[in-house]
Amino acid sequence: DQQVKQNSPSLSVQEGRISILNCDYTNSMFDYFLWYKKYPAEGPTFLISISSIKDKNEDGRFTVFLNKSAKHLSLHIVPSQPGDSAVYFCAASNNAGGTSYGKLTFGQGTILTVHP
Amino acid sequence: KAGVTQTPRYLIKTRGQQVTLSCSPISGHRSVSWYQQTPGQGLQFLFEYFSETQRNKGNFPGRFSGRQFSNSRSEMNVSTLELGDSALYLCASSLAGFREQFFGPGTRLTVL
């Protein structure tokens, strides 16, 4: 039962253009969402997060959009740079009664390649 | 501020053995979570510790266990290793009350 899905295994983008990474979830109890970037042989690096009470959050070149009715979120990277090439994971958190702290449910990841 | 550290970085064991992995969280972080990453299953939650208590547990057999010490450092133990336990084991820490988790570099466990 995959509650967080990233349906695109890979995405290829030209340097300077926009990268859009998508994520869908099925559990309506998720109320906090995060994006991580991962390079080979390293742990995931936190990028940006969004609470379910918001529909957008920006941090520099990164913007996350949340559409609760569609149970969909997306990460926009503008402009894309070759150093952004990595695996991107979306993750979801459900703090039902404070019992689920610490548990992140991850998607399978999307490999982003940014070409110079 | 130093990040999350994990030791050892690489480990090779044989079936039936047991292994202990160690994690030191970011200073001031009291919550430590453990995850297993495999090519087939992706990143899966193992368990979370806060103030030396296991607060949450994922869907893994009892061979997987952990503990947390008073200085927030954590260890996880896998007993009776199986070939399928070969994975990258990741530790993450977070501040109390915050959902953002910060990951260490992981321990690559190979079971032969």
Side-chain angles (χ1 to χ4, degrees):
Chain A
D1 172 28
Q2 198 163 352
Q3 299 183 59
V4 179
K5 298 179 186 178
Q6 293 176 255
N7 292 318
S8 299
S10 63
L11 174 67
S12 184
V13 169
Q14 207 67 32
E15 181 179 6
R17 307 293 289 263
I18 184 172
S19 295
I20 300 176
L21 298 124
N22 294 302
C23 179
D24 297 296
Y25 61 97
T26 57
N27 188 341
S28 57
M29 297 299 292
F30 288 142
D31 64 349
Y32 205 84
F33 303 89
L34 309 92
W35 283 94
Y36 286 86
K37 175 172 76 172
K38 188 178 185 300
Y39 295 116
E42 292 184 16
T45 300
F46 169 72
L47 284 173
I48 192 168
S49 57
I50 187 167
S51 164
S52 61
I53 63 173
K54 295 186 174 181
D55 54 19
K56 177 182 173 182
N57 190 27
E58 275 182 273
D59 184 1
R61 296 187 298 117
F62 302 94
T63 303
V64 57
F65 295 93
L66 175 62
N67 183 335
K68 279 187 296 182
S69 60
K71 293 193 178 68
H72 176 84
L73 63 153
S74 60
L75 175 68
H76 293 211
I77 307 174
V78 184
S80 301
Q81 300 171 354
D84 295 330
S85 297
V87 181
Y88 287 77
F89 291 94
C90 72
S93 170
N94 162 21
N95 183 30
T99 60
S100 298
Y101 267 123
K103 179 180 179 179
L104 296 180
T105 302
F106 283 85
Q108 292 293 92
T110 297
I111 302 169
L112 173 65
T113 305
V114 180
H115 298 283
Chain B
K1 198 182 260 191
V4 178
T5 58
Q6 292 187 245
T7 56
R9 291 294 310 277
Y10 302 92
L11 209 46
I12 299 175
K13 293 284 188 180
T14 55
R15 276 181 299 175
Q17 287 187 309
Q18 76 161 13
V19 67
T20 299
L21 313 180
S22 182
C23 171
S24 292
I26 293 170
S27 177
H29 287 197
R30 291 167 58 194
S31 170
V32 174
S33 298
W34 289 88
Y35 295 84
Q36 180 197 64
Q37 185 183 25
T38 58
Q41 298 298 319
L43 273 154
Q44 292 194 295
F45 173 76
L46 279 157
F47 29 64
E48 185 237 358
Y49 286 87
F50 181 82
S51 291
E52 302 178 64
T53 301
Q54 187 182 84
R55 209 162 54 162
N56 207 345
K57 191 177 190 310
N59 210 14
F60 280 82
R63 299 185 298 107
F64 292 81
S65 63
R67 60 178 175 168
Q68 187 180 35
F69 302 95
S70 58
N71 61 359
S72 295
R73 192 177 68 84
S74 177
E75 289 181 347
M76 69 162 279
N77 184 276
V78 188
S79 62
T80 320
L81 283 166
E82 300 177 359
L83 295 178
D85 297 334
S86 294
L88 180 66
Y89 289 89
L90 292 157
C91 165
S93 73
S94 60
L95 279 167
F98 286 82
R99 313 277 194 108
E100 288 78 7
Q101 295 182 22
F102 299 89
F103 285 80
T107 294
R108 171 70 63 186
L109 171 65
T110 302
V111 182
L112 302 175

